[in-house]
Amino acid sequence: MFPQTHRKPTRANEHQLYYFASKDMGVSHTLSRRFFWFENIMWKSDIEGRPVTVSLGGKDLIVDTNTVRDYLTGGEGTAGWRGKESNGKEREWKGHELDVLWFEDLDHAQVFDKKGTRARLVEVVRAYCNLG
């Protein structure tokens, strides 16, 4: 977390992250002293056999989402709603296996900022509520 919370911001989203992650005493303390990536990792094998949807932004400042996406999809590139299959058709969200929602132009949590992208997440959550 050090690079994201201590580097000088230049863009608006970097200023937002810098302010909330570096200046807030509770958040800064947690990220600097109590957060360790190795304690917060969930491996693909941990979610096998369960319906899981992962939402990733292509321009995330905190997480290397391209690597996460490739790991989750087996290197098949983008999957889920925003991805395309090898034949060029949009792949639909299935909700019964591992799905990755890929938002190419969004940063960490910006998916909540726009009505259209937020609606996709709401639709996924509602679908999961109807599964059980």
PDB file of all heavy atoms in Angstrom, residues 105-118:
ATOM      1  N   ASP A 105     -12.055   1.480 -18.454  1.00  0.00           N
ATOM      2  CA  ASP A 105     -11.628   2.857 -18.204  1.00  0.00           C
ATOM      3  C   ASP A 105     -11.834   3.333 -16.775  1.00  0.00           C
ATOM      4  O   ASP A 105     -11.752   4.537 -16.509  1.00  0.00           O
ATOM      5  CB  ASP A 105     -12.356   3.811 -19.154  1.00  0.00           C
ATOM      6  CG  ASP A 105     -12.024   3.515 -20.612  1.00  0.00           C
ATOM      7  OD1 ASP A 105     -10.871   3.151 -20.879  1.00  0.00           O
ATOM      8  OD2 ASP A 105     -12.918   3.635 -21.459  1.00  0.00           O
ATOM      9  N   LEU A 106     -12.116   2.428 -15.841  1.00  0.00           N
ATOM     10  CA  LEU A 106     -12.420   2.854 -14.480  1.00  0.00           C
ATOM     11  C   LEU A 106     -11.300   2.527 -13.508  1.00  0.00           C
ATOM     12  O   LEU A 106     -10.602   1.533 -13.638  1.00  0.00           O
ATOM     13  CB  LEU A 106     -13.714   2.192 -13.999  1.00  0.00           C
ATOM     14  CG  LEU A 106     -14.971   2.526 -14.800  1.00  0.00           C
ATOM     15  CD1 LEU A 106     -16.174   1.854 -14.188  1.00  0.00           C
ATOM     16  CD2 LEU A 106     -15.181   4.019 -14.899  1.00  0.00           C
ATOM     17  N   ASP A 107     -11.166   3.399 -12.517  1.00  0.00           N
ATOM     18  CA  ASP A 107     -10.209   3.234 -11.436  1.00  0.00           C
ATOM     19  C   ASP A 107     -10.884   2.466 -10.299  1.00  0.00           C
ATOM     20  O   ASP A 107     -12.067   2.139 -10.359  1.00  0.00           O
ATOM     21  CB  ASP A 107      -9.747   4.622 -10.977  1.00  0.00           C
ATOM     22  CG  ASP A 107      -8.642   4.569  -9.937  1.00  0.00           C
ATOM     23  OD1 ASP A 107      -8.103   3.479  -9.673  1.00  0.00           O
ATOM     24  OD2 ASP A 107      -8.312   5.625  -9.384  1.00  0.00           O
ATOM     25  N   HIS A 108     -10.170   2.248  -9.258  1.00  0.00           N
ATOM     26  CA  HIS A 108     -10.648   1.535  -8.076  1.00  0.00           C
ATOM     27  C   HIS A 108     -11.937   2.172  -7.544  1.00  0.00           C
ATOM     28  O   HIS A 108     -11.964   3.345  -7.200  1.00  0.00           O
ATOM     29  CB  HIS A 108      -9.552   1.583  -7.004  1.00  0.00           C
ATOM     30  CG  HIS A 108      -9.782   0.661  -5.870  1.00  0.00           C
ATOM     31  ND1 HIS A 108      -9.441  -0.661  -5.930  1.00  0.00           N
ATOM     32  CD2 HIS A 108     -10.318   0.859  -4.657  1.00  0.00           C
ATOM     33  CE1 HIS A 108      -9.747  -1.236  -4.792  1.00  0.00           C
ATOM     34  NE2 HIS A 108     -10.291  -0.341  -4.006  1.00  0.00           N
ATOM     35  N   ALA A 109     -13.012   1.432  -7.520  1.00  0.00           N
ATOM     36  CA  ALA A 109     -14.323   1.830  -6.975  1.00  0.00           C
ATOM     37  C   ALA A 109     -15.060   2.881  -7.795  1.00  0.00           C
ATOM     38  O   ALA A 109     -16.138   3.304  -7.413  1.00  0.00           O
ATOM     39  CB  ALA A 109     -14.206   2.289  -5.526  1.00  0.00           C
ATOM     40  N   GLN A 110     -14.533   3.312  -8.948  1.00  0.00           N
ATOM     41  CA  GLN A 110     -15.259   4.272  -9.775  1.00  0.00           C
ATOM     42  C   GLN A 110     -16.495   3.642 -10.416  1.00  0.00           C
ATOM     43  O   GLN A 110     -17.338   4.355 -10.938  1.00  0.00           O
ATOM     44  CB  GLN A 110     -14.355   4.843 -10.868  1.00  0.00           C
ATOM     45  CG  GLN A 110     -13.427   5.916 -10.381  1.00  0.00           C
ATOM     46  CD  GLN A 110     -12.630   6.521 -11.521  1.00  0.00           C
ATOM     47  OE1 GLN A 110     -12.267   5.846 -12.478  1.00  0.00           O
ATOM     48  NE2 GLN A 110     -12.353   7.804 -11.414  1.00  0.00           N
ATOM     49  N   VAL A 111     -16.618   2.337 -10.344  1.00  0.00           N
ATOM     50  CA  VAL A 111     -17.787   1.659 -10.882  1.00  0.00           C
ATOM     51  C   VAL A 111     -19.062   2.158 -10.185  1.00  0.00           C
ATOM     52  O   VAL A 111     -20.137   2.135 -10.765  1.00  0.00           O
ATOM     53  CB  VAL A 111     -17.639   0.122 -10.759  1.00  0.00           C
ATOM     54  CG1 VAL A 111     -17.703  -0.328  -9.315  1.00  0.00           C
ATOM     55  CG2 VAL A 111     -18.670  -0.603 -11.594  1.00  0.00           C
ATOM     56  N   PHE A 112     -18.915   2.652  -8.960  1.00  0.00           N
ATOM     57  CA  PHE A 112     -20.065   3.159  -8.214  1.00  0.00           C
ATOM     58  C   PHE A 112     -20.434   4.589  -8.591  1.00  0.00           C
ATOM     59  O   PHE A 112     -21.492   5.076  -8.219  1.00  0.00           O
ATOM     60  CB  PHE A 112     -19.788   3.091  -6.706  1.00  0.00           C
ATOM     61  CG  PHE A 112     -19.581   1.692  -6.203  1.00  0.00           C
ATOM     62  CD1 PHE A 112     -18.324   1.261  -5.827  1.00  0.00           C
ATOM     63  CD2 PHE A 112     -20.638   0.801  -6.125  1.00  0.00           C
ATOM     64  CE1 PHE A 112     -18.120  -0.021  -5.370  1.00  0.00           C
ATOM     65  CE2 PHE A 112     -20.449  -0.488  -5.676  1.00  0.00           C
ATOM     66  CZ  PHE A 112     -19.191  -0.906  -5.293  1.00  0.00           C
ATOM     67  N   ASP A 113     -19.577   5.278  -9.333  1.00  0.00           N
ATOM     68  CA  ASP A 113     -19.786   6.691  -9.653  1.00  0.00           C
ATOM     69  C   ASP A 113     -20.782   6.925 -10.793  1.00  0.00           C
ATOM     70  O   ASP A 113     -21.375   7.989 -10.873  1.00  0.00           O
ATOM     71  CB  ASP A 113     -18.468   7.369 -10.026  1.00  0.00           C
ATOM     72  CG  ASP A 113     -17.507   7.452  -8.847  1.00  0.00           C
ATOM     73  OD1 ASP A 113     -17.947   7.242  -7.705  1.00  0.00           O
ATOM     74  OD2 ASP A 113     -16.313   7.724  -9.093  1.00  0.00           O
ATOM     75  N   LYS A 114     -20.942   5.956 -11.680  1.00  0.00           N
ATOM     76  CA  LYS A 114     -21.802   6.133 -12.853  1.00  0.00           C
ATOM     77  C   LYS A 114     -23.019   5.227 -12.746  1.00  0.00           C
ATOM     78  O   LYS A 114     -22.911   4.072 -12.348  1.00  0.00           O
ATOM     79  CB  LYS A 114     -21.034   5.819 -14.131  1.00  0.00           C
ATOM     80  CG  LYS A 114     -19.880   6.765 -14.366  1.00  0.00           C
ATOM     81  CD  LYS A 114     -19.145   6.404 -15.630  1.00  0.00           C
ATOM     82  CE  LYS A 114     -17.962   7.335 -15.832  1.00  0.00           C
ATOM     83  NZ  LYS A 114     -17.169   6.955 -16.987  1.00  0.00           N
ATOM     84  N   LYS A 115     -24.144   5.764 -13.142  1.00  0.00           N
ATOM     85  CA  LYS A 115     -25.406   5.020 -13.034  1.00  0.00           C
ATOM     86  C   LYS A 115     -25.363   3.704 -13.812  1.00  0.00           C
ATOM     87  O   LYS A 115     -25.794   2.666 -13.320  1.00  0.00           O
ATOM     88  CB  LYS A 115     -26.563   5.892 -13.521  1.00  0.00           C
ATOM     89  CG  LYS A 115     -27.913   5.260 -13.330  1.00  0.00           C
ATOM     90  CD  LYS A 115     -29.029   6.192 -13.750  1.00  0.00           C
ATOM     91  CE  LYS A 115     -30.376   5.547 -13.507  1.00  0.00           C
ATOM     92  NZ  LYS A 115     -31.472   6.446 -13.865  1.00  0.00           N
ATOM     93  N   GLY A 116     -24.831   3.730 -15.021  1.00  0.00           N
ATOM     94  CA  GLY A 116     -24.812   2.531 -15.854  1.00  0.00           C
ATOM     95  C   GLY A 116     -23.959   1.410 -15.289  1.00  0.00           C
ATOM     96  O   GLY A 116     -24.373   0.251 -15.271  1.00  0.00           O
ATOM     97  N   THR A 117     -22.761   1.736 -14.819  1.00  0.00           N
ATOM     98  CA  THR A 117     -21.888   0.699 -14.270  1.00  0.00           C
ATOM     99  C   THR A 117     -22.395   0.222 -12.916  1.00  0.00           C
ATOM    100  O   THR A 117     -22.341  -0.970 -12.614  1.00  0.00           O
ATOM    101  CB  THR A 117     -20.430   1.202 -14.159  1.00  0.00           C
ATOM    102  OG1 THR A 117     -20.411   2.424 -13.404  1.00  0.00           O
ATOM    103  CG2 THR A 117     -19.831   1.441 -15.522  1.00  0.00           C
ATOM    104  N   ARG A 118     -22.909   1.143 -12.129  1.00  0.00           N
ATOM    105  CA  ARG A 118     -23.477   0.767 -10.834  1.00  0.00           C
ATOM    106  C   ARG A 118     -24.695  -0.143 -11.038  1.00  0.00           C
ATOM    107  O   ARG A 118     -24.896  -1.114 -10.310  1.00  0.00           O
ATOM    108  CB  ARG A 118     -23.863   2.020 -10.051  1.00  0.00           C
ATOM    109  CG  ARG A 118     -24.321   1.757  -8.643  1.00  0.00           C
ATOM    110  CD  ARG A 118     -24.533   3.044  -7.850  1.00  0.00           C
ATOM    111  NE  ARG A 118     -25.460   3.959  -8.485  1.00  0.00           N
ATOM    112  CZ  ARG A 118     -25.131   5.144  -8.991  1.00  0.00           C
ATOM    113  NH1 ARG A 118     -23.894   5.569  -8.924  1.00  0.00           N
ATOM    114  NH2 ARG A 118     -26.045   5.917  -9.552  1.00  0.00           N
TER     115      ARG A 118
END
